[in-house]
Amino acid sequence: AHARAADAGDEAELMERCKHQATFQWTDPATDLGCKARTDLYDPATGDIWDVKTTAKAVNLRDMARSIKDFGYDFQLGFYRLAVGGNNQNGLAFVSKEANEASGSYDVGYALLSPSIINAAQSDVFACMDAVLKYDPSCDIPMIDSLPKW
């Protein structure tokens, strides 16, 4: 993942050019499953997908990378990429929950996920779709002892 701090005009430009809460529906050709995804921000001109995440921590590379891993944001963006197609940017915008005391503004950091990370996440998405097709409701369903932090 590549990350950087936001420039002052980045947020306004991103918000202006992107569709907000863009919804995509499609049938996966390999599994024939009906799918639906809603992206926070989608740039129709470039195909870029951005998902906005709030964070209580400082916006820095280490914490963004940890959040991506802990909460499976790469999997989410891999699924979104199936909706949109192509191989453009897949990014996360991390926004601090509290304003910076000195400036009064909210800190923002961007994380761009590399194509190899997205491709690996898409492989996981395909495996999950395949598991849905193979699901047998007559089988015993295991008890889930723990859930992700989200």
Side-chain angles (χ1 to χ4, degrees):
H2 172 71
R4 66 176 177 84
D7 296 325
D10 284 352
E11 298 88 9
E13 180 190 345
L14 187 65
M15 298 300 278
E16 281 181 28
R17 75 173 187 258
C18 289
K19 291 178 75 175
H20 300 233
Q21 297 294 310
T23 301
F24 299 89
Q25 293 180 313
W26 74 102
T27 300
D28 179 65
T31 62
D32 206 32
L33 291 173
C35 300
K36 182 177 181 178
R38 177 172 290 160
T39 64
D40 287 337
L41 299 170
Y42 169 65
D43 187 341
T46 64
D48 293 350
I49 299 168
W50 291 92
D51 202 50
V52 179
K53 304 295 183 191
T54 56
T55 179
K57 298 181 179 183
V59 178
N60 62 57
L61 179 58
R62 188 185 81 224
D63 288 336
M64 287 189 290
R66 180 172 290 137
S67 291
I68 290 167
K69 182 180 182 305
D70 288 349
F71 299 112
Y73 295 148
D74 55 334
F75 185 90
Q76 179 183 10
L77 289 174
F79 183 71
Y80 288 171
R81 179 51 54 202
L82 293 178
V84 179
N87 206 13
N88 297 324
Q89 288 189 46
N90 300 275
L92 296 161
F94 288 86
V95 181
S96 61
K97 288 183 179 180
E98 296 182 14
N100 183 307
E101 289 182 24
S103 67
S105 63
Y106 292 85
D107 293 330
V108 177
Y110 297 115
L112 297 177
L113 278 64
S114 71
S116 63
I117 291 174
I118 294 300
N119 290 339
Q122 281 186 325
S123 293
D124 292 341
V125 170
F126 291 136
C128 286
M129 293 172 119
D130 191 46
V132 168
L133 290 177
K134 293 177 181 173
Y135 171 69
D136 181 355
S138 65
C139 295
D140 290 332
I141 299 174
M143 177 67 76
I144 297 174
D145 294 325
S146 64
L147 294 173
K149 296 176 186 175
W150 40 267

